[in-house]
Structure formats: structure tokens, C-alpha cells
Amino acid sequence: MPFLIALAVLVIEFTPAHFIYTGPLLTAVPALAGVTMGPKGTTAAAALALAISVATATYNAAWGSLQVYTNFLALGLVSVAGFISSSTVQARRQRELDQVRRIAVAAQDVVLRPVPGRLGPVLAGSLCLAAGTGARVGGDLYEAVQTQHGVRMIVGDVRGKGLSAVRAVAAALGAFREAVHYDDDLVEVMNRCAAALRRQVAVPGAYGQEVLLEGFTTALIAQVPDEPVVQLINRGHPPPLLLHEGRATPLVPAVPSPPLGLEDLAPGLVVKVENYPFVPGDRLLLYTDGVIEARNPDGEFFALPEIMEGMPAHTTPAEFLEQLHQALIRHTGGDLADDVAMILADRLGSEPRTPPGGAGAG
């Protein structure tokens, strides 16, 4: 609007309509800019208004008249006031934004917290990146918990983004964190997560509106007992990678199962636990499709198995994930198109189980 007013003044002053008094119109240019634009925009609008005033005064041979100097004085005062106003508004908005971000980070730490570095028979690490938002919570979810049944981990991907995806992530993780401690059957843990998502198909939003959650969620649950195996349930999720003696192998389910929320597409669905060898020295990577679907500028996908095989063997899970993160950034040029979540578990040697909460728990 400020620049449209400036254009209108130019049209009036340099056409036969120049008999119209345009001083108040030019004064409105920095005033409106101070309300609708930042300090830089206000400065640009004031400079443009000043340039137009000089040009019109010269064109109309009005230099020396009291009206011209009055217009310049009014324009200068309004420009200064507009600049101060826009600077104050911008500073206040920045403070409010910083406060919102601090609250968001605290909430994110509750929803997606880093996994502990040691969980029973495994060393673990986690990484989560939300695409294009600067936040850490998107549609991806992960968790790892030590229980009396072994170490139980989940990685999932909610279809969609935004608030509805975050609601679904919170529902699934809440169900998982509760069920892993009480359900012996790993299938029942997955069923609890599915039930929690079904209950959240429509939840109350602001002002009484309904907020519809997304249609389905891919999920993978892994259990690492004391025995040298890993037990998996895969509901439409990318298969985890097992790094054994320098070779990365995808643990593809024998019978594919649909994602959570799409059970109607598979009548008579029977979900089973599948066992795979997981011996000391092995590495298990659980991840979301944002990793393997990341593209470089030439459209090539991120070669996750090859990247894993080429990484140094003697690194901690945190170091390994950081190197994987850097490789992903280099591949995409820092432009992630989808959320990314990963859990890395290193299998240790056999040892007596430590109860959750430490040796002194209970």
C-alpha cells in the first residue's frame, strides 16, 4: 500500500492532474510502512517519498515556497516516527517469537526425548530432524525403553505434517511408553499404539472445531532380549538395516503388513513377530523414509546401506549418527524434503540384566 500511494502521487504530479495537493499523500507513505513493514521497509518507503518530493518540487519549480519546506518537515517527522514504531513492533514480535520457541523446545523434549546411551544389552543413540521448520518434531516418532522383557524400540512416520501429525506422534508414543512395561506380547504393544491412533481420528481443537488426524502411520517395533537376536514387527515401515561384519542388510519382513490405520485393506490380518540374529558387535539402524528418500540436486536417492558400510567401525552410536547426519546434509545440500528420525543400537556381549532404573531400583 505505501508504494501504491507513492505511485499514485507520481501519476498525479507528472500529469495534468498535478493541481491536486499531494503532500498529505506522501506523508502517509512512511506512516503506513511503519505499521505494515519492518525498519528496512520503512526506511525504503521514506527514501522513496523523499525522492518523489524532490522530483515534484523540481518539476513544478516550487523550490523556495513555504509549502515545499512544510511538506519536507512533515515527511521527515513522520518517517522518524514510523521507523521508531516499526523497530519497536519488530523487537516485541521477536521477543514473543523467542518465547514461543522456548516453549516449543520444552514441549518437544517431552514428546521426542533423546534415548539413553546405555540400555541393557545395547548402546544406543538417536537423531531427529524436522524438514524445513527448524523444529525437532514433525511427523516422525521414536523411542527406546529398557523393560523386563528386553530393550524395546519404536520408529514411526505419521502421514502429514503440522499440528495433526504432532498429535498423532504424542498419541502413539504415549501408548508405546505405557504398554512396553506391561505387555509380554510384542504384537499387543503394536496393537496398543494402533488403538491410540484410532482414538485420535478426531480430537477437539480450538474454538470447538474438530482437528482431523492423518490417515495412517507406518511403524516398526524392535525388541532386543538377552539372547543374541532382535525381534521385529513391521507395519509398512522401511526395513531396519543390520550392519554385520561390515555389510548392511535390510531386515525385510517375510509377510508385509499394512501401516497402522489401514487394517481394513488387509482382512484377516495376522501380525507376527520375526526373529533375526543380532550378535555382539552388530549394529542395528532403525530409520524413517526421510533418510532413504532424500535426494541430491541430480535427483539421486541417499544410498544408506553403502554409506553405513563405508563409515568407521569403532565409533559410538552418537558419533555414528552424527557422521550419518553430515553425509545426509552433504547429499541434499542441507535441504531436507522430509522429516528424519533414526535410532542406532550396538549389540554388546551377554551380561546379567539390570532392572529398569538401575541396580538399586526397587
Side-chain angles (χ1 to χ4, degrees):
M1 182 60 70
F3 295 101
L4 288 177
I5 293 175
L7 178 61
V9 170
L10 281 174
V11 171
I12 292 173
E13 290 292 340
F14 291 96
T15 64
H18 70 274
F19 63 87
I20 300 176
Y21 181 51
T22 60
L25 290 177
L26 274 181
T27 303
V29 170
L32 287 175
V35 175
T36 60
M37 308 171 70
K40 292 183 178 179
T42 302
T43 302
L48 177 61
L50 178 62
I52 293 175
S53 293
V54 172
T56 56
T58 302
Y59 178 77
N60 294 317
W63 289 105
S65 66
L66 181 61
Q67 179 179 326
V68 169
Y69 297 118
T70 301
N71 288 343
F72 276 118
L73 178 60
L75 184 59
L77 292 175
V78 173
S79 297
V80 171
F83 180 84
I84 294 174
S85 175
S86 62
S87 299
T88 302
V89 170
Q90 185 181 60
R92 184 174 65 252
R93 288 176 178 173
Q94 186 62 46
R95 288 194 300 271
E96 293 174 350
L97 181 59
D98 291 342
Q99 177 67 11
V100 169
R101 285 174 174 168
R102 286 193 293 269
I103 295 173
V105 168
Q108 290 166 359
D109 286 338
V110 173
V111 177
L112 289 180
R113 55 200 181 202
V115 304
R118 175 68 185 270
L119 290 165
V122 301
L123 296 178
S126 61
L127 176 68
C128 187
L129 302 170
T133 63
R136 289 174 293 164
V137 171
D140 288 3
L141 61 96
Y142 69 89
E143 181 61 290
V145 182
Q146 183 181 357
T147 73
Q148 60 181 337
H149 313 292
V151 178
R152 290 178 164 180
M153 300 175 285
I154 185 172
V155 171
D157 186 358
V158 177
R159 177 181 176 270
K161 298 182 182 297
L163 181 58
S164 62
V166 175
R167 288 179 182 270
V169 167
L173 285 179
F176 175 81
R177 289 166 177 164
E178 180 70 16
V180 289
H181 293 288
Y182 301 105
D183 289 313
D184 298 339
D185 189 355
L186 205 59
V187 175
E188 186 59 28
V189 176
M190 182 68 84
N191 291 340
R192 293 287 189 93
C193 296
L197 289 170
R198 286 195 297 270
R199 288 193 297 269
Q200 295 293 321
V201 169
V203 296
Y207 309 108
Q209 298 175 346
E210 290 292 304
V211 179
L212 297 180
L213 298 186
E214 301 297 340
F216 64 87
T217 299
T218 66
L220 173 75
I221 292 181
Q223 177 172 285
V224 181
D226 289 338
E227 296 74 23
V229 298
V230 59
Q231 301 167 325
L232 300 177
I233 297 179
N234 193 330
R235 295 291 301 272
H237 199 76
L241 288 173
L242 180 67
L243 188 62
H244 174 72
E245 296 182 351
R247 181 174 180 81
T249 303
L251 304 182
V252 181
V255 180
S257 298
L260 306 180
L262 296 182
E263 291 83 1
D264 293 342
L265 300 180
L269 173 66
V270 177
V271 179
K272 296 182 178 180
V273 178
E274 298 186 1
N275 297 326
Y276 300 88
F278 187 37
V279 301
D282 286 355
R283 281 189 154 161
L284 181 69
L285 180 67
L286 283 61
Y287 58 92
T288 57
D289 60 6
V291 181
I292 55 176
E293 293 181 359
R295 296 174 182 259
N296 64 12
D298 296 328
E300 299 171 339
F301 290 110
F302 186 66
L304 180 57
E306 291 79 1
I307 297 296
M308 284 188 65
E309 293 172 353
M311 287 188 176
H314 301 291
T315 54
T316 66
E319 293 170 343
F320 188 90
L321 288 176
E322 180 56 29
Q323 293 179 21
L324 196 57
H325 177 204
Q326 294 303 320
L328 189 63
I329 294 300
R330 289 192 298 269
H331 180 78
T332 61
D335 184 19
L336 289 176
D338 196 5
D339 301 331
V340 167
M342 292 183 280
I343 293 180
L344 184 71
D346 284 358
R347 178 75 198 209
L348 300 175
S350 299
E351 60 183 47
R353 176 175 299 170
T354 300

